[in-house]
């Protein structure tokens, strides 16, 4: 199976000729009535996909008297006199794939609710063909469950990517926007294939140079990028600096209630839309980790967000305001301040105060993208405010694209969590898609894991996370396995050995990573700054609010109402009680919610200390097994990918051992308790 890892899941190698027979008959003629650019790109993609397997199809603007494939919007379809019962069933970005009769022949129709729907429909048929699905199984009506499916890029204009583990930025170089946009076009294709419809191209930490992206100096270049994305149904957004009026506007204040400031932003909006008529809007990190914001002026987040929202409103733009706001200058001895409480404390009182084109972007966990965190209680608490879910695809705390960590299971846990906000069944996925509270906007956002590396993602298997993000944002009901299987087939073909090796590997990779890193939901324990590798006390005596409170007697953060920080009260019942009570708190979150002695018995019957030892030994063994299983695939995976993955498994195994030994030694020294099985723990 030879194809370049650059092509990701768009390799277009057929895995099952027989399955393809069902489709073949329609591919002689492609009927397209529209001259729309998105539809043209869709047709180009289909031709590209088919080019290696059938004779080149003829593109017609009329119906031939033979079987054919028809590609167009519902309006195009009706104009053809064809009948299909799709009204009200098709959302604007949805699509339908079906076979209809026209005179004496059959028309395989890809019908979109809009041009974007057409594009997604074409990618659906391509995905079906190349993952070995029969035509019958491919027929469907499919709508996105989330209207906004956005990627955030933490790219700086000097070309570096904050928390990027896959090379340099594909958008920026040397403090400018790149000249050659061909890689961005390939990226747009990849994103369209997983139905991503928005990109924020610059880092939420907006530094001096990036502050100028909203000026005449750079907007023409931003417009060039936006134009490429537009052809694939993707809107461009920018992260902005809240202090821009002062830093580049010559004003003496950025106070959101100041008239001059309001006018300044209105002028900025009008200018941006003159360059980019379909500009998506602003992403804002304000009053967070030393970034400027409304607090400076005694204003709150709603004042700040609404001021910007008013400027964008006439053009249909939105303000995406992040809730990652917490005190990052705490005294570690102060046990009453709890960072986990911060988002709720800051934003819950403002529920109902935001304009309808403001969306709060909330990280899945209350701390910061750890390998295991409970859901942020803000989901379910904001009944009158739009919220987006923010996931981190880039693997900051989950192995930095050196370790394999398929994140879809983690994301699904978050989306499937029941908040009980409106009784049983109030799942997070319903909060974020807007249906639970009838919100105006809903969506899922991911912090991208790509850069200019040959495989886009550094670790070639980390492509599965980008793929999985898009699929899950489209439909959170897909299972982790379904997504993994689809990705493996599209990426590596349908060899059974490959499938039976890589799919289980992906599915257990998160658990393996968790085993040899920080135990029982406590998180952190990493080297400060870059966050790679074990350092148990790395963040223990710092100002960041990220502690485990381990001493010789016990470990964990008491977040109960009864004796701790009171964080559990931010959840609705019965969730609050479940976490509050140590007997019902799930073990994987034990140390997140409770401070316990090392002798505390888990539901498995093991003590906490023995669990720590066992999981750390087991995690390494399982990492070694993944590496060995991969080696068995030599010859079945293209060489380039095979080697790139193996190199990373080599690193993972070595570094997992370091984690194991550092963690085990730390707790052995703290507790003096020996491993029941007498395995090697360095003293
Ligand atoms: O996890 C932290 C990261 C920062 C990041 C911040 C955020 C972009 O370490 O690098 O800044 O979260 O989400 O704003």
């Amino acid at each position: 199976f030879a194809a370049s890892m650059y092509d990701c899941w768009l390799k277009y190698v057929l895995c099952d000729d027989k399955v393809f027979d069902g489709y073949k008959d329609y591919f002689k003629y492609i009927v397209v009535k529209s001259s729309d650019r998105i539809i043209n790109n869709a047709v180009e993609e289909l031709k590209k996909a088919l080019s290696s397997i059938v004779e080149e199809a003829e593109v017609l603007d009329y119906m031939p008297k033979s079987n054919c494939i028809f590609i167009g919007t519902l309006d195009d379809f009706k104009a053809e006199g064809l009948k299909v019962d799709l009204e009200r069933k098709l959302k604007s970005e949805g699509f339908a794939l079906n076979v209809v009769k026209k005179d004496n022949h059959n028309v395989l129709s890809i019908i979109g609710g809009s041009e974007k729907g057409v594009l997604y429909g074409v990618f659906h048929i391509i995905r079906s063909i190349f993952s070995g699905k029969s035509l019958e199984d491919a027929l469907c009506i499919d709508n996105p469950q989330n209207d906004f499916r956005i990627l955030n890029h933490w790219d700086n204009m000097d070309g570096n990517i904050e928390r990027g583990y896959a090379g340099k930025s594909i958008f920026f170089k040397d403090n400018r926007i790149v000249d050659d946009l061909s890689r961005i076009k390939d990226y747009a294709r990849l994103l369209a294939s997983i139905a991503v419809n928005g990109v924020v191209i610059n880092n939420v930490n907006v530094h001096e140079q990036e502050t100028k992206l909203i000026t005449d100096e750079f907007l023409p270049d931003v417009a060039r990028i936006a134009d490429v994305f537009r052809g694939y149904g993707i809107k461009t957004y920018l992260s902005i600096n809240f202090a821009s009026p002062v830093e580049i506007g010559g004003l003496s204040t950025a106070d959101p209630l100041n008239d001059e400031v309001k006018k300044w932003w209105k002028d900025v909006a009008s200018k941006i839309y003159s360059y980019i008529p379909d500009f998506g809007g602003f992403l804002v990190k304000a009053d967070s980790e030393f970034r400027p914001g409304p607090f400076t002026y005694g204003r709150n987040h709603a004042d700040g967000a609404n001021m910007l929202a008013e400027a964008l409103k006439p053009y249909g733009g939105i303000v995406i305001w992040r809730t990652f706001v917490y005190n990052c200058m705490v005294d570690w001895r102060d046990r009453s301040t709890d960072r986990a409480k911060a988002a709720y404390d800051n934003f819950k009182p403002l529920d109902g105060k935001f304009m309808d084109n403001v969306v709060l972007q909330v990280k899945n966990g209350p701390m910061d993208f750890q390998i295991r965190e409970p859901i942020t209680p803000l989901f379910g608490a904001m009944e009158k405010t739009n919220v987006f879910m923010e996931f981190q695809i880039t693997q900051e705390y989950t192995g930095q694209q050196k370790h394999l960590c398929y994140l879809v299971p983690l994301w699904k846990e978050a989306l499937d969590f029941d908040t009980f906000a409106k009784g049983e069944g109030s799942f997070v996925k319903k909060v974020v898609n807007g249906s639970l509270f009838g919100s105006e906007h809903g969506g899922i956002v991911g912090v991208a894991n790509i850069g200019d590396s040959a495989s886009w993602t550094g670790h070639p298997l980390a492509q599965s996370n980008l793929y999985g993000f898009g699929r899950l944002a489209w439909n959170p009901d897909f299972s982790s396995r379904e997504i993994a299987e689809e990705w493996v087939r599209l990426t590596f073909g349908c060899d059974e050995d490959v499938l039976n090796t890589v799919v289980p590997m992906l599915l257990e990779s998160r658990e393996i990573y968790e085993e040899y890193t920080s135990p029982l939901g406590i998180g952190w324990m990493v080297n400060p700054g870059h966050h790679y590798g074990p350092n148990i006390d790395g963040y223990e005596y710092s100002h960041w609010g990220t502690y485990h409170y381990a001493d010789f007697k016990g470990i964990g953060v008491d977040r109960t109402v009864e004796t701790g920080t009171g964080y559990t009260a931010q959840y609705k019942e019965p969730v609050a009680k479940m976490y509050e009570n140590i007997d019902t708190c799930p073990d994987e979150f034990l140390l997140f919610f409770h401070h316990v002695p090392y002798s505390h018995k888990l539901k498995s019957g093991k003590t906490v200390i023995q669990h720590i030892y066992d999981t750390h030994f087991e995690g390494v063994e399982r990492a070694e097994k993944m590496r060995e299983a991969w080696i068995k695939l030599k010859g079945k995976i293209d060489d380039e990918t095979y080697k790139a993955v193996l190199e990373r498994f080599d690193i993972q195994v070595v570094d997992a051992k370091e984690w194991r030994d550092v963690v085990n030694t730390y707790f052995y020294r703290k507790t003096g308790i020996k491993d029941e099985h007498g395995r090697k723990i360095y003293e």
Side-chain angles (χ1 to χ4, degrees), residues 5-32:
M5 58 191 184
Y6 180 87
D7 294 325
C8 298
W9 51 87
L10 302 181
K11 293 202 173 74
Y12 301 149
V13 178
L14 203 55
C15 54
D16 189 336
D17 291 339
K18 254 199 250 98
V19 166
F20 184 62
D21 283 346
Y23 296 85
K24 229 183 205 156
D25 200 27
Y26 300 99
F27 286 146
K28 217 161 159 235
Y29 302 106
I30 302 178
V31 182
V32 193

Side-chain angles (χ1 to χ4, degrees), residues 11 128 134 187 197 249 256 347 409 450 457 479 539 557 561 577 590 594 624 666:
K11 293 202 173 74
S128 304
S134 72
Y187 188 46
N197 63 6
F347 287 91
I450 66 105
T457 51
S479 74
Y539 273 112
V557 184
V561 172
K577 242 192 234 105
L590 181 70
H594 299 276
E624 282 172 328
Y666 178 96

Side-chain angles (χ1 to χ4, degrees), residues 154 162-163 203-205 285 288-289 322 324 339 363 368-369 390 392 396-397 529 531:
W154 289 353
E162 183 158 348
R163 313 304 177 189
N203 189 356
V204 289
N205 290 325
K285 173 175 179 177
S288 159
E289 300 186 328
R322 296 176 85 228
F324 186 58
R339 172 164 160 181
K363 289 189 184 187
D368 193 5
F369 299 136
E390 178 178 328
Q392 195 183 41
E396 178 177 2
Y397 293 98
H531 300 162

Side-chain angles (χ1 to χ4, degrees), residues 375-393:
I375 197 78
T376 305
L378 211 48
F379 293 108
M382 302 299 279
E383 301 185 9
K384 291 169 266 172
T385 307
N386 303 312
V387 292
F388 284 171
M389 170 62 81
E390 178 178 328
F391 289 134
Q392 195 183 41
I393 313 173

Side-chain angles (χ1 to χ4, degrees), residues 1 461 484-485 487-506 629-630 632-638 641-642:
F1 192 80
L461 300 183
E485 282 177 359
W487 178 79
V488 170
R489 287 203 165 94
L490 295 171
T491 305
F492 297 122
C494 297
D495 184 291
E496 288 296 311
D497 285 344
V498 175
L499 203 65
N500 294 333
T501 306
V502 181
V503 171
M505 204 181 253
L506 291 175
W630 182 257
K632 293 211 180 92
L633 297 181
K634 190 169 169 49
K636 298 194 166 216
I637 303 271
D638 67 280
T641 307
Y642 175 79

Side-chain angles (χ1 to χ4, degrees), residues 122-155:
V122 167
F123 275 113
H124 166 80
I125 197 173
I126 292 176
R127 188 166 49 237
S128 304
I129 294 171
F130 292 96
S131 62
K133 241 189 195 170
S134 72
L135 176 59
E136 247 167 47
D137 288 342
L139 299 182
C140 66
I141 298 178
D142 202 0
N143 289 303
Q145 287 196 29
N146 292 287
D147 290 342
F148 288 82
R149 304 172 302 277
I150 299 180
L151 287 175
N152 289 181
H153 297 83
W154 289 353
D155 292 25

